[in-house]
Amino acid sequence: MADRIPNELTEQGSPDWSRRQFLWGLGGLAVAGTVSLLGRQGIVSAARSLFGSPVTSGAFNLYAFDYYYVPNYMVWRVGDYLEVTFQNQSHTHWHEWTIGRHVNESYFQAFGELPADAWKVDFWDGVPVTLSNPYKIDNFVPNKAIVTYEGPKSLYNIASGGDFSPTLKPGGSLTLSFQVPDKPGIWDFGCFVQQYIHYRTGMRGIINIIKA
Ligand SMILES: [Cu+2]
């Protein structure tokens, strides 16, 4: 398992797909006449809810690049079983995947030691999730998730403090299997590595969880 080579990009998760999504966002921008960078994701989200988005279900890949995710927008349905393989495509950078609500933006201005957690609400609190196929894991913070580990537990380098977060070394990957919990609405995801620089640079996305 340690020699496992991370999968190549699949058609489903190719950058082209992301670019098309981004163009939708630009369309939304033009209509709204707003150029605020911070407002962009909200507008993208609004445009998607107008035009509709396919529900993501089953097994799929989430790619981490420097500094963005593909895809950066997903629709999940409560009760669906998902098998997300999180893959770090970077050759040089460590990346994590956290999901939550209400990022603490005051940390962005903080000097010195930063608190370990970023979200006020951690999506994974109380959620059963199975981790499998660990490959080049830097560390994993379970926080309050109910975690089942497949494979040698030592490979996960379990850490404490902060949000639920697998952090992958360059080229690393990990599969997370879970049933979408009854937590409908808009959730944000992001990477807070390097004192939030990744997140601020654009390494973030939105999950819209719809009711069954
Ligand atoms: Cu990152």
Side-chain angles (χ1 to χ4, degrees):
M1 195 175 291
D3 314 316
R4 203 171 75 83
I5 296 165
N7 298 332
E8 296 294 331
L9 281 171
T10 63
E11 221 172 296
Q12 191 191 6
S14 74
D16 281 336
W17 184 88
S18 170
R19 206 168 298 131
R20 211 179 317 140
Q21 296 276 314
F22 184 64
L23 290 176
W24 277 109
L26 288 180
L29 266 183
V31 170
T34 307
V35 289
S36 156
L37 189 63
L38 286 175
R40 183 165 58 87
Q41 291 222 334
I43 291 163
V44 169
S45 168
R48 298 244 173 71
S49 65
L50 282 177
F51 298 112
S53 276
V55 173
T56 303
S57 62
F60 63 95
N61 294 329
L62 171 67
Y63 300 104
F65 292 91
D66 305 330
Y67 302 96
Y68 58 97
Y69 293 100
V70 175
N72 62 3
Y73 179 84
M74 293 178 262
V75 178
W76 295 353
R77 187 195 291 117
V78 171
D80 278 0
Y81 286 94
L82 300 184
E83 192 180 303
V84 185
T85 298
F86 177 45
Q87 295 196 344
N88 185 359
Q89 297 284 333
S90 175
H91 298 290
T92 50
H93 287 74
W94 277 244
H95 291 298
E96 67 170 350
W97 183 33
T98 67
I99 309 174
R101 278 180 177 150
H102 313 299
V103 71
N104 190 338
E105 308 221 0
S106 66
Y107 294 174
F108 291 172
Q109 283 85 44
F111 290 93
E113 199 172 321
L114 288 164
D117 60 330
W119 303 113
K120 280 206 184 93
V121 181
D122 186 342
F123 168 79
W124 296 98
D125 279 4
V127 177
V129 54
T130 297
L131 304 187
S132 57
N133 303 317
Y135 180 75
K136 292 189 177 177
I137 309 288
D138 181 68
N139 70 76
F140 168 64
V141 177
N143 198 14
K144 293 170 191 162
I146 302 158
V147 183
T148 302
Y149 300 90
E150 279 185 11
K153 212 172 170 181
S154 59
L155 290 177
Y156 295 95
N157 302 318
I158 298 161
S160 61
D163 304 307
F164 176 101
S165 159
T167 302
L168 306 181
K169 295 175 185 173
S173 61
L174 177 67
T175 299
L176 300 90
S177 309
F178 58 98
Q179 187 175 16
V180 178
D182 190 13
K183 300 184 178 187
I186 299 290
W187 290 86
D188 297 303
F189 63 92
C191 173
F192 299 111
V193 167
Q194 290 186 302
Q195 298 183 333
Y196 296 81
I197 287 173
H198 293 202
Y199 180 84
R200 293 161 73 180
T201 308
M203 195 152 189
R204 55 174 103 170
I206 292 172
I207 299 165
N208 182 8
I209 298 183
I210 58 172
K211 295 187 179 186

